[in-house]
Amino acid sequence: MAFDGAYLYAVKREIEQLIGARADKIHQPSRDELVIHLRSREGMQKLLISTAGDSARIHLTQVTIENPAVPPMFCMLLRKHLGGGKLLAVRQDGLERILFLDFECVNELGDRVQLTLACEVMGRYSNCILCDENGKIIDSLKRNADVTRERVILPGFPYEMPHRSRRLHFMETDDDTILSALLLAPDVPLDKALVQLFEGVSPLLAREWAYFVCKGDAVHTHAMTQAHKERLLFTLHRTADMLRSGDFQFTVLQTPEGQLRDYCFLRPEQYGALMVVRPMPSASAALDEFYSKRDLLARMKQRANDLFRLVMTRLERVSRKLQNQREELAQTDKMEQNKLWGDLLSANLYRLQKGDTTAILENFYAEDCPQVHIPLQVNLTPAQNAQRYYTLYRKAVTAKEKLSEQIAQGEQELAYLESVFDVLSRAESEADLLLLREELCEQGYTKKRSGKQKPPKQQPPMVYRSEDGFMILVGRNNRQNDLLTTKQAAKQDIWLHTQNIPGSHVILVTDGAQPSETAIRQAAVLAAYHSKARDSAQVPVDFTRVKFVKKPNGAKPGMVIFTNQQTLYVKPDAQLCQSLAQKL
């Protein structure tokens, strides 16, 4: 990722525009995130601080982040100390990945004090530390209780800067010093040398410089010509001027398939046609675009850990039980043999004696009457041995009936749990999780939580519109799937669902008209996208009229049977789904 000191410098310029704003609200959406609402004359802005190892950053955000019902302790501490505080300054030491936010606040005695929020953006070592006017730590998002380390992060200890390697600041270093440092650098590829030589430079930026210098060739530091050195100094000065003037070209890089790969404050040329370069209006907008979906998934996974464990445990348990039952059912196939042996023993009792271990008899039910070897128990009479095989036969018949019923119930439960897991993996808000918890409680998988709790509000189905104007409704969870299919949809509407794959119910609203092939295909794409097969290449989607869809009595939420269906094979397309949603 490209969140280096240079990119942080660009973010700093954006946050500096809010100097004089006041901290109005402070939230902590997850263990590693803080959101500070800064109120100024121009309006409200949200400052996001993330210390997650794979997405550490600080920037202004337009993304709405849902907050937990009970704020964590560090959030309460920030509200106490920073609430109403005025932003005085935004500082960065060189191109170090630390941003200091100075606030003028009022303490408990009514005195004005200056507090500093140190936002350290350093991968898995990222942290957010609140310090007083004397430089002592009030508290931090992540504590370091190991007093044997060189740097201790605990309340009451003085704040110390992280260890800083001696590297050059390319915006302030003269040309002779840079060229001299290159001569002393190891003989490695130029981009790797630039990362080690300059402070606040990411591999992406270093590769872009090296691409400009070497015109795409691989050149080592000791093999640089005078032309290479002149081109290097030129691109360093150009980048420095861009940072000083604020004349940025913020971009997000994505593959031709639409997967986001990186971001930068300039337009990279090193990838050629391998990457699609999308311009962005600001540094914060680029970060929002790059991280918003990933953060949502991580946040939902963190909040739904207990549900994931519950569903996975039940899935494994039901799968093992089904496997054992199928093995038992396979063994019941011998029941006809037991009845045959009982008949043969009953017909030949006069030929057998107690104590025989084997009865060798002719099978008069088969052609040519082949001999059959029937094992006997020596402690039983011939008649008792015959009755024993009849008993085994009757037990097998009963077991086959019961096992068939239990296997059918187990397969239904397995399908239901897989649908729950699919909904859980696609949950996008706390409301989705609350509704899912309530559904699992009603089905007996969890216990109702103690205390008075406000019942979750059922959200409306997701609404799309095909390119030729047909409305398409998509259920968010199993209960909404039932409501959408059995209550809201008209009989002539089109019902769609992925074939034998967990997913949402999709309704193509026809209003009595004949739907176009385009509308049906786009509804099928939506059904494939809102399913477990979202990342597959070709997904079978069944569709039929709603009047042919029935919900059996006693069936679990989301479970239906249908007839008269047709099948389409489509590829899930995120961009198409997004464009159909934007047409509303």
Side-chain angles (χ1 to χ4, degrees):
M1 304 308 170
F3 199 91
D4 51 16
Y7 199 96
L8 182 60
Y9 187 91
V11 173
K12 168 179 168 286
R13 292 179 62 96
E14 292 183 4
I15 301 177
E16 282 178 333
Q17 299 176 14
L18 295 176
I19 290 178
R22 294 190 177 274
D24 187 61
K25 298 177 183 178
I26 301 174
H27 298 293
Q28 188 176 345
S30 67
R31 180 180 53 205
D32 302 318
E33 289 178 315
L34 289 170
V35 176
I36 301 176
H37 295 247
L38 296 172
R39 175 171 45 83
S40 64
R41 292 181 178 180
E42 288 73 24
M44 189 78 73
Q45 293 278 5
K46 291 183 293 186
L47 179 66
L48 172 66
I49 306 168
S50 173
T51 62
D54 61 344
S55 58
R57 65 198 190 278
I58 175 173
H59 63 96
L60 301 175
T61 182
Q62 299 295 327
V63 177
T64 300
I65 304 176
E66 198 166 2
N67 299 301
V70 180
M73 292 299 296
F74 187 66
C75 177
M76 297 296 291
L77 180 136
L78 289 182
R79 290 179 181 180
K80 173 184 175 182
H81 290 279
L82 292 186
K86 181 180 179 181
L87 181 63
L88 296 178
V90 183
R91 296 181 286 115
Q92 183 184 14
D93 186 5
L95 290 181
E96 189 72 5
R97 289 182 297 169
I98 304 176
L99 210 58
F100 297 97
L101 307 178
D102 296 328
F103 288 89
E104 182 186 65
C105 306
V106 178
N107 62 15
E108 296 175 347
L109 300 178
D111 299 329
R112 294 185 180 276
V113 295
Q114 180 173 317
L115 303 181
T116 299
L117 194 63
C119 306
E120 301 177 353
V121 186
M122 299 179 293
R124 61 192 181 99
Y125 300 106
S126 300
N127 206 344
C128 187
I129 304 170
L130 181 65
C131 304
D132 63 16
E133 63 272 19
N134 299 316
K136 288 188 176 181
I137 298 174
I138 299 176
D139 209 342
S140 60
L141 195 60
K142 301 175 183 177
R143 292 184 177 184
N144 168 19
D146 188 355
V147 295
T148 62
R149 297 186 181 182
E150 296 180 359
R151 184 172 184 247
V152 180
I153 303 175
L154 284 175
F157 280 75
Y159 175 79
E160 298 178 359
M161 292 282 288
H163 174 72
R164 186 175 182 180
S165 59
R166 298 183 62 180
R167 290 186 289 180
L168 303 179
H169 190 328
F170 74 90
M171 296 174 63
E172 299 176 354
T173 308
D174 60 81
D175 295 351
D176 293 337
T177 304
I178 292 175
L179 295 178
S180 299
L182 277 174
L183 289 175
L184 299 175
D187 188 22
V188 295
L190 179 58
D191 62 310
K192 297 185 182 300
L194 294 176
V195 171
Q196 297 299 322
L197 185 62
F198 294 114
E199 179 182 59
V201 174
S202 67
L204 172 65
L205 182 57
R207 289 196 305 269
E208 189 63 22
W209 285 345
Y211 179 82
F212 177 82
V213 170
C214 308
K215 300 180 180 179
D217 297 329
V219 175
H220 285 55
T221 50
H222 292 181
M224 291 180 64
T225 64
Q226 184 63 30
H228 288 149
K229 295 176 181 178
E230 291 177 359
R231 289 176 67 83
L232 175 62
L233 294 175
F234 173 80
T235 189
L236 290 177
H237 291 320
R238 183 174 62 176
T239 306
D241 292 341
M242 177 185 294
L243 290 173
R244 293 191 192 98
S245 65
D247 186 19
F248 300 105
Q249 294 178 330
F250 296 108
T251 55
V252 169
L253 309 178
Q254 67 180 37
T255 64
E257 293 77 24
Q259 295 181 340
L260 297 174
R261 291 298 189 190
D262 226 321
Y263 54 89
C264 195
F265 59 84
L266 49 79
R267 184 179 181 85
E269 303 292 342
Q270 58 188 284
Y271 296 107
L274 297 177
M275 290 284 179
V276 177
V277 180
R278 292 170 49 198
M280 302 301 295
S282 67
S284 297
L287 293 170
D288 263 352
E289 176 70 14
F290 189 85
Y291 285 110
S292 59
K293 185 176 181 180
R294 176 191 295 184
D295 283 358
L296 175 63
L297 295 176
R299 199 177 298 116
M300 287 298 102
K301 186 175 181 180
Q302 182 179 331
R303 294 181 182 179
N305 268 338
D306 59 330
L307 290 181
F308 273 111
R309 286 195 300 268
L310 169 69
V311 176
M312 287 301 298
T313 301
R314 295 304 293 259
L315 275 170
E316 292 174 1
R317 188 179 302 171
V318 173
S319 297
R320 285 197 305 269
K321 186 177 179 181
L322 275 173
Q323 182 179 355
N324 294 334
Q325 288 173 340
R326 290 187 178 113
E327 291 175 357
E328 288 184 40
L329 184 62
Q331 294 176 0
T332 62
D333 292 340
K334 298 179 180 179
M335 62 183 183
E336 294 298 335
Q337 175 183 283
N338 291 331
K339 183 177 183 301
L340 172 64
W341 287 0
D343 290 342
L344 295 180
L345 290 175
S346 298
N348 293 276
L349 292 176
Y350 66 94
R351 299 171 56 183
L352 305 173
Q353 293 181 356
K354 184 177 181 180
D356 291 343
T357 58
T358 305
I360 303 176
L361 304 174
E362 296 78 17
N363 181 8
F364 48 78
Y365 288 105
E367 293 183 6
D368 301 330
C369 296
Q371 286 188 337
V372 178
H373 293 254
I374 304 175
L376 301 177
Q377 291 191 359
V378 296
N379 60 326
L380 300 179
T381 65
Q384 289 173 333
N385 270 299
Q387 289 301 317
R388 173 175 168 271
Y389 281 113
Y390 283 134
T391 301
L392 291 175
Y393 168 72
R394 288 192 295 271
K395 286 184 177 179
V397 171
T398 303
K400 187 171 185 178
E401 294 176 356
K402 295 295 183 182
L403 285 172
S404 299
E405 294 177 4
Q406 292 172 358
I407 289 173
Q409 293 173 358
E411 289 174 344
Q412 291 178 5
E413 184 177 11
L414 188 66
Y416 172 71
L417 290 172
E418 287 177 345
S419 70
V420 169
F421 187 83
D422 174 59
V423 173
L424 186 59
S425 63
R426 293 187 284 111
E428 296 182 352
S429 67
E430 187 71 22
D432 292 339
L433 296 180
L434 288 175
L435 289 169
L436 198 53
R437 289 182 191 276
E438 187 177 84
E439 179 183 327
L440 290 173
C441 182
E442 290 178 355
Q443 297 301 315
Y445 292 101
T446 61
K447 293 182 179 179
K448 190 173 183 180
R449 295 188 176 183
S450 58
K452 293 183 179 179
Q453 292 184 347
K454 187 177 180 180
K457 183 180 179 181
Q458 180 68 270
Q459 294 180 290
M462 292 174 279
V463 185
Y464 298 84
R465 193 173 296 277
S466 68
E467 292 176 350
D468 51 2
F470 284 90
M471 182 179 292
I472 305 171
L473 306 177
V474 179
R476 296 177 183 270
N477 51 54
N478 286 320
R479 292 167 64 183
Q480 192 174 85
N481 286 338
D482 281 348
L483 184 64
L484 189 61
T485 300
T486 62
K487 301 294 183 183
Q488 297 180 358
K491 291 185 177 181
Q492 294 302 315
D493 291 342
I494 304 297
W495 178 88
L496 303 96
H497 194 279
T498 46
Q499 187 180 85
N500 300 323
I501 300 172
S504 296
H505 291 201
V506 176
I507 299 296
L508 174 61
V509 181
T510 63
D511 291 328
Q514 179 64 32
S516 64
E517 292 184 4
T518 299
I520 294 176
R521 177 163 291 276
Q522 290 178 349
V525 171
L526 287 168
Y529 182 74
H530 293 284
S531 75
K532 187 178 179 180
R534 173 177 290 190
D535 298 322
S536 301
Q538 288 291 324
V539 182
V541 177
D542 291 332
F543 66 96
T544 186
R545 296 283 183 180
V546 171
K547 65 180 180 180
F548 298 120
V549 182
K550 307 295 180 184
K551 183 172 182 63
N553 293 331
K556 291 186 176 294
M559 302 293 106
V560 295
I561 56 176
F562 53 93
T563 57
N564 298 77
Q565 72 272 18
Q566 301 179 57
T567 304
L568 275 176
Y569 287 84
V570 296
K571 179 180 180 180
D573 189 337
Q575 292 184 350
L576 175 63
C577 296
Q578 185 178 3
S579 67
L580 296 181
Q582 291 175 347
K583 288 182 177 293
L584 295 176

